[in-house]
């Protein structure tokens, strides 16, 4: 007789237990996904909107989740896609209004009311904002989330070699930026 | 010394980047999300289909293709073009193909190795052999 408890994935697939399981999913993944998004878009309100979109998309697409990928990988993919789409829209808007996207990211950081770091932390955020978007993503996942390259590769669909080169370069560029500030 | 250790020891960077959230944000977020999703999930019922209901989509599809074929012939005849004219049918098929693409939701991540390497090459970065 099989006495194994149904997994979260099993309960999410079953329409009878989906809602209750979704509450558990929110408890487990809200925080890591929020930070994933927030580090990319910088602004708390934008991160909040994008996190809501992420979970709404996950909810509506739950029937399509077959369990081939890990639940966390699937959710991270949706969250990153939401953040990248948002940044693309911002970039298009900045291009239309002849704004510099890096400059507007630094403005967002300076205006962020949900920040209690010191000057070094503020410079650090600015340094990260000077990187191209996808380099920021790789840097954040490696530096802050301390994820393995193999796990990042699974989420982003890129190779470990490309990720290592990207992270290595991102660190060099951040060091250069910080040296110029000191 | 790893890249991360170097960043932290040489530049005195904290593990955190100083970002914070309002107090109780994550509990409040979970509550707001649960309010947005429906109370019950509709369970799809299995409906027994009659023979006509089973073959109906195929009949409609055949009728549609027959209609398209007839329309193409009428247009080519009225335009005075021969039936094998290369331009006579292309726009019609292009329209048909394009009608169903709107609304497609793609959650596939749009990142590739090429994107990452492009950014590196643009900045004039040479990849060390140790990587």
């Amino acid at each position: 007789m099989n006495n194994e408890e149904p997994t979260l994935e099993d309960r999410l697939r079953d329409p009878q237990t989906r809602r209750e399981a979704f509450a558990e999913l929110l408890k487990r993944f809200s925080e890591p996904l929020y930070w994933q998004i927030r580090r990319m878009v910088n602004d708390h309100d934008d991160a909040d909107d994008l996190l809501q979109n992420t979970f709404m998309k996950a909810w509506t697409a739950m029937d399509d989740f077959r369990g081939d990928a890990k639940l966390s990988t699937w959710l991270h993919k949706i969250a990153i896609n939401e953040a990248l789409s948002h940044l693309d829209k911002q970039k298009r808007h900045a291009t239309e209004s002849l704004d510099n996207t890096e400059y507007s990211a630094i403005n967002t950081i300076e205006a962020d009311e949900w920040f209690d770091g010191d000057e070094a932390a503020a410079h650090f955020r600015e340094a990260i904002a000077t990187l191209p978007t996808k380099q920021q993503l790789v840097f954040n996942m490696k530096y802050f989330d301390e994820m393995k390259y193999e796990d990042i590769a699974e989420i982003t669909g890129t190779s470990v070699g490309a990720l290592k080169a990207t992270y290595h370069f991102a660190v060099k560029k951040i060091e250069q930026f910080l040296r110029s500030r000191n | 010394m790893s890249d991360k250790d170097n960043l932290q020891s040489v530049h005195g960077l904290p593990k955190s980047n100083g970002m914070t959230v309002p107090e109780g944000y994550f509990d409040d977020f979970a509550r707001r999300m649960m309010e947005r999703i429906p109370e019950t999930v509709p369970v799809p019922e299995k409906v027994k289909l009659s023979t006509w209901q089973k073959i109906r989509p195929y009949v409609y599809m055949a009728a549609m293709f027959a209609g398209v074929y007839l329309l193409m012939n009428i247009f080519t005849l009225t335009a005075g073009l021969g039936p094998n004219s290369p331009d006579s049918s292309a726009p019609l098929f292009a329209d048909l193909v394009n009608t169903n693409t709107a609304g497609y939701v793609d959650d596939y991540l749009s990142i590739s190795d090429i994107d990452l390497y492009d950014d590196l090459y643009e900045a004039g970065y040479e990849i060390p052999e140790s990587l």
Side-chain angles (χ1 to χ4, degrees):
Chain A
M1 197 172 124
N2 189 1
N3 286 329
E4 272 183 33
E5 288 273 308
T7 63
L8 180 60
E9 284 88 342
D10 292 336
R11 286 184 291 129
L12 284 166
R13 271 193 289 268
D14 181 352
Q16 307 285 356
T17 53
R18 185 171 297 171
R19 200 170 191 279
E20 186 199 331
F22 196 77
E24 195 180 320
L25 176 117
L26 282 169
K27 204 182 262 184
R28 206 187 284 182
F29 291 105
S30 290
E31 199 163 341
L33 292 180
Y34 170 83
W35 290 118
Q36 178 87 69
I37 295 169
R38 172 82 186 275
R39 287 187 199 115
M40 289 174 78
V41 301
N42 283 303
D43 181 72
H44 166 71
D45 291 329
D46 287 344
D48 180 63
D49 285 344
L50 295 170
L51 188 64
Q52 286 185 55
N53 293 349
T54 299
F55 281 112
M56 282 316 291
K57 280 197 175 167
W59 173 260
T60 48
M62 202 54 81
D63 283 327
D64 300 329
F65 177 66
R66 299 271 172 235
D68 302 335
K70 280 194 292 187
L71 189 59
S72 62
T73 305
W74 184 63
L75 290 169
H76 271 285
K77 280 185 181 192
I78 301 174
I80 292 170
N81 237 9
E82 282 296 307
L84 287 179
S85 305
H86 173 81
L87 291 171
D88 271 352
K89 269 184 220 156
Q90 262 189 346
K91 203 172 172 182
R92 274 201 299 274
H93 178 74
T95 312
E96 279 162 19
S97 60
L98 302 175
D99 271 352
N100 180 318
T101 44
E102 189 182 301
Y103 181 72
S104 85
I106 288 171
N107 274 350
T108 309
I109 292 167
E110 283 172 355
D112 187 4
E113 79 178 285
W114 298 108
F115 173 74
D116 70 354
D118 55 13
E119 200 184 6
H123 285 327
F124 189 25
R125 284 181 70 181
E126 285 174 17
I128 296 169
T130 62
L131 301 172
T133 312
K134 285 160 191 172
Q135 271 178 29
Q136 288 183 37
L137 171 68
V138 175
F139 179 82
N140 289 336
M141 289 169 112
K142 186 72 193 148
Y143 186 87
F144 292 110
D145 298 330
E146 300 185 329
M147 290 173 80
K148 289 181 192 160
Y149 284 117
E150 288 74 14
D151 293 337
I152 303 174
E154 199 184 335
I155 291 170
T156 56
T158 54
S159 70
V160 169
L163 291 172
K164 281 184 179 174
T166 299
Y167 181 69
H168 187 75
F169 177 69
V171 169
K172 298 285 162 232
K173 213 172 156 200
I174 289 170
E175 278 179 337
Q176 260 174 23
F177 182 94
L178 295 173
R179 238 178 265 126
S180 73
R181 283 285 184 279
N182 292 333
Chain B
M1 187 183 275
S2 73
D3 287 336
K4 185 171 181 173
D5 293 340
N6 194 39
L7 273 179
Q8 289 182 342
S9 60
V10 178
H11 300 284
L13 292 178
K15 173 81 183 78
S16 149
N17 58 3
M19 289 178 182
T20 59
V21 291
E23 211 180 315
Y25 168 71
F26 291 108
D27 290 335
D28 179 58
F29 178 81
R31 184 189 52 74
R32 279 187 289 138
M33 276 310 298
M34 290 310 287
E35 279 172 7
R36 283 187 66 182
I37 63 168
E39 285 292 328
T40 53
V41 181
V43 183
E45 282 178 31
K46 286 204 168 179
V47 183
K48 205 175 176 194
L49 297 175
S50 67
T51 312
W52 166 241
Q53 282 172 320
K54 281 179 192 165
I55 63 162
R56 192 167 55 182
Y58 302 105
V59 174
Y60 286 170
M61 200 183 292
M64 187 189 76
F65 280 116
V68 169
Y69 179 75
L70 277 172
L71 278 174
M72 280 165 54
N73 276 321
I74 291 166
F75 284 138
T76 50
L77 283 173
T78 52
L81 295 170
N84 295 325
S85 169
D87 294 331
S88 59
S89 59
L92 190 58
F93 278 120
D95 287 347
L96 280 173
V97 169
N98 286 334
T99 47
N100 273 332
T101 52
Y104 174 68
V105 179
D106 181 17
D107 63 15
Y108 186 75
L109 208 50
S110 54
I111 301 180
S112 69
D113 278 10
I114 295 169
D115 294 329
L116 296 179
Y117 284 131
D118 267 355
D119 285 336
L120 298 182
Y121 290 136
E122 266 177 37
Y125 176 71
E126 283 181 23
I127 298 161
E129 287 195 3
S130 60
L131 296 174

